[in-house]
Amino acid sequence: DIEFQQSRIQSLSTYAKTLEMRRVDTLLKRLNTIRDIHTGEHNTWKGQFKALARDYGMGFMIYWTGVWMVTGAGCYFALEMGGVDAMDLLAKLDATTGTDLSSKIDPTLGNVAVAIAVNELIEPIRLPFVVLTVKPVVNFIRKGKI
């Protein structure tokens, strides 16, 4: 069957191959949706994240990582420019929660640690943003406009 399909596809025109790829992509998308329904991941953020990673591959991962890095850098520079003392902030957190985080973090990396923590806390905002914007961004990049 594989040899038959290979010879059949080789005989198709470029336009016919494009149409067939669109048809196959539509069928794959439908099958993946049915699979997601069976696993319980359909219409969940986790399921949408996995579907975007599957459908957009490396472009999605690069875009999501880039957005993560930009928001992380923004958190860090906001802490630095705002004059926030991370160690003082961690000491207050320790006093409130009864933990001992401030003794475990290097003071020279305090703002980095706090920026990473804040960056992770904004994931519920970042992920929906990426989910809503990844298709046009990746399509724009794929068309070679960057």
Side-chain angles (χ1 to χ4, degrees), residues 3-34:
E3 292 172 3
F4 169 76
Q5 289 297 330
Q6 287 175 335
S7 64
R8 184 184 69 76
I9 291 170
Q10 286 177 348
S11 67
L12 295 175
S13 69
T14 303
Y15 179 71
K17 286 180 187 178
T18 301
L19 290 178
E20 181 148 347
M21 283 301 296
R22 287 181 187 166
R23 185 181 62 80
V24 169
D25 287 343
T26 301
L27 290 171
L28 279 173
K29 187 173 182 177
R30 184 172 185 279
L31 289 172
N32 281 321
T33 300
I34 292 169

PDB file of all heavy atoms in Angstrom, residues 3-34:
ATOM      1  N   GLU A   3       3.893   1.665  -1.365  1.00  0.00           N
ATOM      2  CA  GLU A   3       4.444   1.865  -2.718  1.00  0.00           C
ATOM      3  C   GLU A   3       3.380   2.408  -3.661  1.00  0.00           C
ATOM      4  O   GLU A   3       3.668   3.276  -4.492  1.00  0.00           O
ATOM      5  CB  GLU A   3       5.019   0.558  -3.245  1.00  0.00           C
ATOM      6  CG  GLU A   3       6.263   0.112  -2.495  1.00  0.00           C
ATOM      7  CD  GLU A   3       6.707  -1.291  -2.909  1.00  0.00           C
ATOM      8  OE1 GLU A   3       6.089  -1.888  -3.813  1.00  0.00           O
ATOM      9  OE2 GLU A   3       7.676  -1.767  -2.304  1.00  0.00           O
ATOM     10  N   PHE A   4       2.156   1.916  -3.526  1.00  0.00           N
ATOM     11  CA  PHE A   4       1.065   2.412  -4.359  1.00  0.00           C
ATOM     12  C   PHE A   4       0.835   3.896  -4.094  1.00  0.00           C
ATOM     13  O   PHE A   4       0.698   4.691  -5.036  1.00  0.00           O
ATOM     14  CB  PHE A   4      -0.223   1.618  -4.091  1.00  0.00           C
ATOM     15  CG  PHE A   4      -1.436   2.238  -4.719  1.00  0.00           C
ATOM     16  CD1 PHE A   4      -1.656   2.130  -6.091  1.00  0.00           C
ATOM     17  CD2 PHE A   4      -2.345   2.952  -3.957  1.00  0.00           C
ATOM     18  CE1 PHE A   4      -2.763   2.720  -6.678  1.00  0.00           C
ATOM     19  CE2 PHE A   4      -3.451   3.549  -4.536  1.00  0.00           C
ATOM     20  CZ  PHE A   4      -3.658   3.430  -5.898  1.00  0.00           C
ATOM     21  N   GLN A   5       0.791   4.283  -2.806  1.00  0.00           N
ATOM     22  CA  GLN A   5       0.570   5.682  -2.451  1.00  0.00           C
ATOM     23  C   GLN A   5       1.702   6.576  -2.947  1.00  0.00           C
ATOM     24  O   GLN A   5       1.472   7.675  -3.440  1.00  0.00           O
ATOM     25  CB  GLN A   5       0.408   5.836  -0.932  1.00  0.00           C
ATOM     26  CG  GLN A   5      -0.890   5.275  -0.390  1.00  0.00           C
ATOM     27  CD  GLN A   5      -2.105   6.007  -0.938  1.00  0.00           C
ATOM     28  OE1 GLN A   5      -2.077   7.190  -1.255  1.00  0.00           O
ATOM     29  NE2 GLN A   5      -3.197   5.268  -1.072  1.00  0.00           N
ATOM     30  N   GLN A   6       2.953   6.093  -2.835  1.00  0.00           N
ATOM     31  CA  GLN A   6       4.089   6.880  -3.309  1.00  0.00           C
ATOM     32  C   GLN A   6       4.001   7.118  -4.809  1.00  0.00           C
ATOM     33  O   GLN A   6       4.210   8.243  -5.277  1.00  0.00           O
ATOM     34  CB  GLN A   6       5.399   6.175  -2.960  1.00  0.00           C
ATOM     35  CG  GLN A   6       5.752   6.244  -1.501  1.00  0.00           C
ATOM     36  CD  GLN A   6       6.987   5.431  -1.148  1.00  0.00           C
ATOM     37  OE1 GLN A   6       7.337   4.482  -1.834  1.00  0.00           O
ATOM     38  NE2 GLN A   6       7.635   5.809  -0.045  1.00  0.00           N
ATOM     39  N   SER A   7       3.680   6.073  -5.583  1.00  0.00           N
ATOM     40  CA  SER A   7       3.574   6.259  -7.041  1.00  0.00           C
ATOM     41  C   SER A   7       2.377   7.123  -7.397  1.00  0.00           C
ATOM     42  O   SER A   7       2.437   7.933  -8.326  1.00  0.00           O
ATOM     43  CB  SER A   7       3.502   4.906  -7.751  1.00  0.00           C
ATOM     44  OG  SER A   7       2.327   4.218  -7.387  1.00  0.00           O
ATOM     45  N   ARG A   8       1.265   6.975  -6.670  1.00  0.00           N
ATOM     46  CA  ARG A   8       0.079   7.788  -6.930  1.00  0.00           C
ATOM     47  C   ARG A   8       0.384   9.261  -6.665  1.00  0.00           C
ATOM     48  O   ARG A   8       0.043  10.132  -7.466  1.00  0.00           O
ATOM     49  CB  ARG A   8      -1.068   7.315  -6.029  1.00  0.00           C
ATOM     50  CG  ARG A   8      -2.392   8.038  -6.285  1.00  0.00           C
ATOM     51  CD  ARG A   8      -3.451   7.601  -5.309  1.00  0.00           C
ATOM     52  NE  ARG A   8      -3.186   8.057  -3.949  1.00  0.00           N
ATOM     53  CZ  ARG A   8      -3.378   9.310  -3.515  1.00  0.00           C
ATOM     54  NH1 ARG A   8      -3.818  10.241  -4.343  1.00  0.00           N
ATOM     55  NH2 ARG A   8      -3.108   9.641  -2.274  1.00  0.00           N
ATOM     56  N   ILE A   9       1.060   9.565  -5.562  1.00  0.00           N
ATOM     57  CA  ILE A   9       1.361  10.952  -5.205  1.00  0.00           C
ATOM     58  C   ILE A   9       2.368  11.561  -6.182  1.00  0.00           C
ATOM     59  O   ILE A   9       2.259  12.732  -6.545  1.00  0.00           O
ATOM     60  CB  ILE A   9       1.846  11.035  -3.747  1.00  0.00           C
ATOM     61  CG1 ILE A   9       0.663  10.717  -2.823  1.00  0.00           C
ATOM     62  CG2 ILE A   9       2.428  12.396  -3.423  1.00  0.00           C
ATOM     63  CD1 ILE A   9       1.029  10.525  -1.380  1.00  0.00           C
ATOM     64  N   GLN A  10       3.324  10.773  -6.637  1.00  0.00           N
ATOM     65  CA  GLN A  10       4.302  11.288  -7.614  1.00  0.00           C
ATOM     66  C   GLN A  10       3.640  11.689  -8.914  1.00  0.00           C
ATOM     67  O   GLN A  10       4.112  12.590  -9.610  1.00  0.00           O
ATOM     68  CB  GLN A  10       5.390  10.249  -7.874  1.00  0.00           C
ATOM     69  CG  GLN A  10       6.364  10.120  -6.731  1.00  0.00           C
ATOM     70  CD  GLN A  10       7.405   9.025  -6.984  1.00  0.00           C
ATOM     71  OE1 GLN A  10       7.269   8.218  -7.901  1.00  0.00           O
ATOM     72  NE2 GLN A  10       8.433   9.006  -6.149  1.00  0.00           N
ATOM     73  N   SER A  11       2.518  11.037  -9.239  1.00  0.00           N
ATOM     74  CA  SER A  11       1.842  11.347 -10.498  1.00  0.00           C
ATOM     75  C   SER A  11       0.927  12.559 -10.394  1.00  0.00           C
ATOM     76  O   SER A  11       0.417  13.036 -11.414  1.00  0.00           O
ATOM     77  CB  SER A  11       1.033  10.134 -10.971  1.00  0.00           C
ATOM     78  OG  SER A  11      -0.047   9.881 -10.083  1.00  0.00           O
ATOM     79  N   LEU A  12       0.711  13.073  -9.202  1.00  0.00           N
ATOM     80  CA  LEU A  12      -0.170  14.224  -9.018  1.00  0.00           C
ATOM     81  C   LEU A  12       0.534  15.526  -9.395  1.00  0.00           C
ATOM     82  O   LEU A  12       1.741  15.665  -9.224  1.00  0.00           O
ATOM     83  CB  LEU A  12      -0.627  14.323  -7.556  1.00  0.00           C
ATOM     84  CG  LEU A  12      -1.512  13.207  -7.013  1.00  0.00           C
ATOM     85  CD1 LEU A  12      -1.760  13.426  -5.524  1.00  0.00           C
ATOM     86  CD2 LEU A  12      -2.826  13.117  -7.757  1.00  0.00           C
ATOM     87  N   SER A  13      -0.265  16.477  -9.849  1.00  0.00           N
ATOM     88  CA  SER A  13       0.273  17.815 -10.106  1.00  0.00           C
ATOM     89  C   SER A  13       0.513  18.520  -8.775  1.00  0.00           C
ATOM     90  O   SER A  13       0.026  18.085  -7.727  1.00  0.00           O
ATOM     91  CB  SER A  13      -0.719  18.631 -10.940  1.00  0.00           C
ATOM     92  OG  SER A  13      -1.868  18.930 -10.161  1.00  0.00           O
ATOM     93  N   THR A  14       1.231  19.616  -8.801  1.00  0.00           N
ATOM     94  CA  THR A  14       1.511  20.375  -7.583  1.00  0.00           C
ATOM     95  C   THR A  14       0.214  20.844  -6.938  1.00  0.00           C
ATOM     96  O   THR A  14       0.046  20.763  -5.718  1.00  0.00           O
ATOM     97  CB  THR A  14       2.415  21.578  -7.903  1.00  0.00           C
ATOM     98  OG1 THR A  14       3.613  21.104  -8.515  1.00  0.00           O
ATOM     99  CG2 THR A  14       2.772  22.364  -6.651  1.00  0.00           C
ATOM    100  N   TYR A  15      -0.714  21.294  -7.758  1.00  0.00           N
ATOM    101  CA  TYR A  15      -2.005  21.763  -7.252  1.00  0.00           C
ATOM    102  C   TYR A  15      -2.786  20.613  -6.607  1.00  0.00           C
ATOM    103  O   TYR A  15      -3.341  20.773  -5.518  1.00  0.00           O
ATOM    104  CB  TYR A  15      -2.824  22.393  -8.384  1.00  0.00           C
ATOM    105  CG  TYR A  15      -4.172  22.881  -7.948  1.00  0.00           C
ATOM    106  CD1 TYR A  15      -4.299  24.013  -7.131  1.00  0.00           C
ATOM    107  CD2 TYR A  15      -5.343  22.219  -8.335  1.00  0.00           C
ATOM    108  CE1 TYR A  15      -5.535  24.460  -6.725  1.00  0.00           C
ATOM    109  CE2 TYR A  15      -6.588  22.665  -7.930  1.00  0.00           C
ATOM    110  CZ  TYR A  15      -6.680  23.779  -7.125  1.00  0.00           C
ATOM    111  OH  TYR A  15      -7.903  24.228  -6.713  1.00  0.00           O
ATOM    112  N   ALA A  16      -2.791  19.451  -7.254  1.00  0.00           N
ATOM    113  CA  ALA A  16      -3.498  18.291  -6.708  1.00  0.00           C
ATOM    114  C   ALA A  16      -2.861  17.832  -5.393  1.00  0.00           C
ATOM    115  O   ALA A  16      -3.563  17.430  -4.459  1.00  0.00           O
ATOM    116  CB  ALA A  16      -3.506  17.150  -7.721  1.00  0.00           C
ATOM    117  N   LYS A  17      -1.527  17.922  -5.303  1.00  0.00           N
ATOM    118  CA  LYS A  17      -0.851  17.575  -4.045  1.00  0.00           C
ATOM    119  C   LYS A  17      -1.263  18.540  -2.939  1.00  0.00           C
ATOM    120  O   LYS A  17      -1.497  18.124  -1.798  1.00  0.00           O
ATOM    121  CB  LYS A  17       0.671  17.609  -4.220  1.00  0.00           C
ATOM    122  CG  LYS A  17       1.234  16.442  -4.989  1.00  0.00           C
ATOM    123  CD  LYS A  17       2.743  16.570  -5.101  1.00  0.00           C
ATOM    124  CE  LYS A  17       3.323  15.504  -6.002  1.00  0.00           C
ATOM    125  NZ  LYS A  17       4.775  15.643  -6.152  1.00  0.00           N
ATOM    126  N   THR A  18      -1.352  19.816  -3.273  1.00  0.00           N
ATOM    127  CA  THR A  18      -1.753  20.819  -2.285  1.00  0.00           C
ATOM    128  C   THR A  18      -3.162  20.536  -1.778  1.00  0.00           C
ATOM    129  O   THR A  18      -3.419  20.576  -0.569  1.00  0.00           O
ATOM    130  CB  THR A  18      -1.686  22.228  -2.891  1.00  0.00           C
ATOM    131  OG1 THR A  18      -0.351  22.482  -3.325  1.00  0.00           O
ATOM    132  CG2 THR A  18      -2.108  23.291  -1.891  1.00  0.00           C
ATOM    133  N   LEU A  19      -4.072  20.226  -2.705  1.00  0.00           N
ATOM    134  CA  LEU A  19      -5.446  19.915  -2.310  1.00  0.00           C
ATOM    135  C   LEU A  19      -5.500  18.660  -1.443  1.00  0.00           C
ATOM    136  O   LEU A  19      -6.223  18.613  -0.440  1.00  0.00           O
ATOM    137  CB  LEU A  19      -6.337  19.727  -3.545  1.00  0.00           C
ATOM    138  CG  LEU A  19      -6.632  20.986  -4.355  1.00  0.00           C
ATOM    139  CD1 LEU A  19      -7.489  20.643  -5.564  1.00  0.00           C
ATOM    140  CD2 LEU A  19      -7.319  22.034  -3.487  1.00  0.00           C
ATOM    141  N   GLU A  20      -4.724  17.657  -1.808  1.00  0.00           N
ATOM    142  CA  GLU A  20      -4.709  16.420  -1.025  1.00  0.00           C
ATOM    143  C   GLU A  20      -4.130  16.665   0.367  1.00  0.00           C
ATOM    144  O   GLU A  20      -4.624  16.128   1.354  1.00  0.00           O
ATOM    145  CB  GLU A  20      -3.917  15.328  -1.737  1.00  0.00           C
ATOM    146  CG  GLU A  20      -3.915  14.051  -0.936  1.00  0.00           C
ATOM    147  CD  GLU A  20      -3.867  12.806  -1.771  1.00  0.00           C
ATOM    148  OE1 GLU A  20      -4.067  12.873  -2.991  1.00  0.00           O
ATOM    149  OE2 GLU A  20      -3.626  11.760  -1.176  1.00  0.00           O
ATOM    150  N   MET A  21      -3.090  17.482   0.467  1.00  0.00           N
ATOM    151  CA  MET A  21      -2.515  17.785   1.773  1.00  0.00           C
ATOM    152  C   MET A  21      -3.519  18.524   2.658  1.00  0.00           C
ATOM    153  O   MET A  21      -3.604  18.263   3.864  1.00  0.00           O
ATOM    154  CB  MET A  21      -1.240  18.618   1.631  1.00  0.00           C
ATOM    155  CG  MET A  21      -0.034  17.820   1.206  1.00  0.00           C
ATOM    156  SD  MET A  21       0.374  16.475   2.341  1.00  0.00           S
ATOM    157  CE  MET A  21       0.776  17.363   3.813  1.00  0.00           C
ATOM    158  N   ARG A  22      -4.296  19.408   2.064  1.00  0.00           N
ATOM    159  CA  ARG A  22      -5.326  20.107   2.827  1.00  0.00           C
ATOM    160  C   ARG A  22      -6.366  19.122   3.355  1.00  0.00           C
ATOM    161  O   ARG A  22      -6.793  19.202   4.509  1.00  0.00           O
ATOM    162  CB  ARG A  22      -6.007  21.167   1.975  1.00  0.00           C
ATOM    163  CG  ARG A  22      -5.156  22.372   1.726  1.00  0.00           C
ATOM    164  CD  ARG A  22      -5.892  23.399   0.899  1.00  0.00           C
ATOM    165  NE  ARG A  22      -5.004  24.485   0.531  1.00  0.00           N
ATOM    166  CZ  ARG A  22      -5.269  25.377  -0.396  1.00  0.00           C
ATOM    167  NH1 ARG A  22      -6.416  25.315  -1.057  1.00  0.00           N
ATOM    168  NH2 ARG A  22      -4.414  26.329  -0.679  1.00  0.00           N
ATOM    169  N   ARG A  23      -6.746  18.160   2.504  1.00  0.00           N
ATOM    170  CA  ARG A  23      -7.729  17.152   2.897  1.00  0.00           C
ATOM    171  C   ARG A  23      -7.175  16.279   4.026  1.00  0.00           C
ATOM    172  O   ARG A  23      -7.840  16.033   5.028  1.00  0.00           O
ATOM    173  CB  ARG A  23      -8.119  16.287   1.689  1.00  0.00           C
ATOM    174  CG  ARG A  23      -9.222  15.273   1.969  1.00  0.00           C
ATOM    175  CD  ARG A  23      -9.542  14.434   0.734  1.00  0.00           C
ATOM    176  NE  ARG A  23      -8.400  13.644   0.286  1.00  0.00           N
ATOM    177  CZ  ARG A  23      -8.033  12.473   0.849  1.00  0.00           C
ATOM    178  NH1 ARG A  23      -8.702  11.992   1.860  1.00  0.00           N
ATOM    179  NH2 ARG A  23      -7.002  11.814   0.379  1.00  0.00           N
ATOM    180  N   VAL A  24      -5.929  15.841   3.875  1.00  0.00           N
ATOM    181  CA  VAL A  24      -5.302  14.997   4.892  1.00  0.00           C
ATOM    182  C   VAL A  24      -5.147  15.770   6.206  1.00  0.00           C
ATOM    183  O   VAL A  24      -5.413  15.230   7.284  1.00  0.00           O
ATOM    184  CB  VAL A  24      -3.932  14.473   4.391  1.00  0.00           C
ATOM    185  CG1 VAL A  24      -3.142  13.826   5.504  1.00  0.00           C
ATOM    186  CG2 VAL A  24      -4.137  13.489   3.247  1.00  0.00           C
ATOM    187  N   ASP A  25      -4.736  17.037   6.118  1.00  0.00           N
ATOM    188  CA  ASP A  25      -4.599  17.855   7.326  1.00  0.00           C
ATOM    189  C   ASP A  25      -5.941  18.008   8.045  1.00  0.00           C
ATOM    190  O   ASP A  25      -6.002  17.963   9.275  1.00  0.00           O
ATOM    191  CB  ASP A  25      -4.023  19.227   6.997  1.00  0.00           C
ATOM    192  CG  ASP A  25      -2.544  19.178   6.660  1.00  0.00           C
ATOM    193  OD1 ASP A  25      -1.881  18.165   6.974  1.00  0.00           O
ATOM    194  OD2 ASP A  25      -2.048  20.160   6.063  1.00  0.00           O
ATOM    195  N   THR A  26      -7.015  18.189   7.287  1.00  0.00           N
ATOM    196  CA  THR A  26      -8.349  18.295   7.876  1.00  0.00           C
ATOM    197  C   THR A  26      -8.730  17.004   8.586  1.00  0.00           C
ATOM    198  O   THR A  26      -9.262  17.030   9.705  1.00  0.00           O
ATOM    199  CB  THR A  26      -9.381  18.640   6.790  1.00  0.00           C
ATOM    200  OG1 THR A  26      -9.005  19.870   6.177  1.00  0.00           O
ATOM    201  CG2 THR A  26     -10.780  18.774   7.366  1.00  0.00           C
ATOM    202  N   LEU A  27      -8.460  15.866   7.938  1.00  0.00           N
ATOM    203  CA  LEU A  27      -8.756  14.573   8.563  1.00  0.00           C
ATOM    204  C   LEU A  27      -7.929  14.356   9.825  1.00  0.00           C
ATOM    205  O   LEU A  27      -8.446  13.885  10.847  1.00  0.00           O
ATOM    206  CB  LEU A  27      -8.511  13.431   7.569  1.00  0.00           C
ATOM    207  CG  LEU A  27      -9.494  13.313   6.405  1.00  0.00           C
ATOM    208  CD1 LEU A  27      -9.004  12.277   5.394  1.00  0.00           C
ATOM    209  CD2 LEU A  27     -10.871  12.952   6.919  1.00  0.00           C
ATOM    210  N   LEU A  28      -6.647  14.716   9.773  1.00  0.00           N
ATOM    211  CA  LEU A  28      -5.790  14.568  10.954  1.00  0.00           C
ATOM    212  C   LEU A  28      -6.277  15.445  12.105  1.00  0.00           C
ATOM    213  O   LEU A  28      -6.276  15.018  13.264  1.00  0.00           O
ATOM    214  CB  LEU A  28      -4.344  14.918  10.614  1.00  0.00           C
ATOM    215  CG  LEU A  28      -3.532  13.835   9.930  1.00  0.00           C
ATOM    216  CD1 LEU A  28      -2.183  14.380   9.501  1.00  0.00           C
ATOM    217  CD2 LEU A  28      -3.354  12.641  10.837  1.00  0.00           C
ATOM    218  N   LYS A  29      -6.684  16.650  11.787  1.00  0.00           N
ATOM    219  CA  LYS A  29      -7.175  17.544  12.821  1.00  0.00           C
ATOM    220  C   LYS A  29      -8.424  16.969  13.472  1.00  0.00           C
ATOM    221  O   LYS A  29      -8.571  16.999  14.701  1.00  0.00           O
ATOM    222  CB  LYS A  29      -7.461  18.930  12.232  1.00  0.00           C
ATOM    223  CG  LYS A  29      -7.825  19.949  13.278  1.00  0.00           C
ATOM    224  CD  LYS A  29      -7.926  21.339  12.686  1.00  0.00           C
ATOM    225  CE  LYS A  29      -8.238  22.326  13.791  1.00  0.00           C
ATOM    226  NZ  LYS A  29      -8.293  23.683  13.330  1.00  0.00           N
ATOM    227  N   ARG A  30      -9.308  16.407  12.663  1.00  0.00           N
ATOM    228  CA  ARG A  30     -10.539  15.796  13.191  1.00  0.00           C
ATOM    229  C   ARG A  30     -10.200  14.602  14.075  1.00  0.00           C
ATOM    230  O   ARG A  30     -10.750  14.439  15.173  1.00  0.00           O
ATOM    231  CB  ARG A  30     -11.447  15.376  12.051  1.00  0.00           C
ATOM    232  CG  ARG A  30     -12.775  14.828  12.513  1.00  0.00           C
ATOM    233  CD  ARG A  30     -13.736  14.592  11.345  1.00  0.00           C
ATOM    234  NE  ARG A  30     -15.027  14.190  11.825  1.00  0.00           N
ATOM    235  CZ  ARG A  30     -15.334  12.951  12.191  1.00  0.00           C
ATOM    236  NH1 ARG A  30     -14.425  11.996  12.135  1.00  0.00           N
ATOM    237  NH2 ARG A  30     -16.550  12.652  12.615  1.00  0.00           N
ATOM    238  N   LEU A  31      -9.292  13.746  13.616  1.00  0.00           N
ATOM    239  CA  LEU A  31      -8.896  12.582  14.408  1.00  0.00           C
ATOM    240  C   LEU A  31      -8.230  12.994  15.723  1.00  0.00           C
ATOM    241  O   LEU A  31      -8.483  12.382  16.769  1.00  0.00           O
ATOM    242  CB  LEU A  31      -7.964  11.677  13.603  1.00  0.00           C
ATOM    243  CG  LEU A  31      -8.616  10.901  12.458  1.00  0.00           C
ATOM    244  CD1 LEU A  31      -7.557  10.194  11.623  1.00  0.00           C
ATOM    245  CD2 LEU A  31      -9.624   9.900  12.988  1.00  0.00           C
ATOM    246  N   ASN A  32      -7.397  14.020  15.680  1.00  0.00           N
ATOM    247  CA  ASN A  32      -6.763  14.506  16.903  1.00  0.00           C
ATOM    248  C   ASN A  32      -7.791  15.089  17.869  1.00  0.00           C
ATOM    249  O   ASN A  32      -7.665  14.928  19.089  1.00  0.00           O
ATOM    250  CB  ASN A  32      -5.682  15.527  16.584  1.00  0.00           C
ATOM    251  CG  ASN A  32      -4.408  14.875  16.115  1.00  0.00           C
ATOM    252  OD1 ASN A  32      -4.005  13.838  16.626  1.00  0.00           O
ATOM    253  ND2 ASN A  32      -3.765  15.474  15.128  1.00  0.00           N
ATOM    254  N   THR A  33      -8.814  15.750  17.346  1.00  0.00           N
ATOM    255  CA  THR A  33      -9.881  16.281  18.196  1.00  0.00           C
ATOM    256  C   THR A  33     -10.634  15.146  18.871  1.00  0.00           C
ATOM    257  O   THR A  33     -10.911  15.200  20.077  1.00  0.00           O
ATOM    258  CB  THR A  33     -10.853  17.151  17.372  1.00  0.00           C
ATOM    259  OG1 THR A  33     -10.126  18.233  16.809  1.00  0.00           O
ATOM    260  CG2 THR A  33     -11.987  17.679  18.224  1.00  0.00           C
ATOM    261  N   ILE A  34     -10.938  14.096  18.112  1.00  0.00           N
ATOM    262  CA  ILE A  34     -11.620  12.934  18.687  1.00  0.00           C
ATOM    263  C   ILE A  34     -10.741  12.291  19.760  1.00  0.00           C
ATOM    264  O   ILE A  34     -11.220  11.906  20.828  1.00  0.00           O
ATOM    265  CB  ILE A  34     -11.989  11.921  17.579  1.00  0.00           C
ATOM    266  CG1 ILE A  34     -13.075  12.518  16.676  1.00  0.00           C
ATOM    267  CG2 ILE A  34     -12.457  10.593  18.180  1.00  0.00           C
ATOM    268  CD1 ILE A  34     -13.333  11.731  15.404  1.00  0.00           C
TER     269      ILE A  34
END
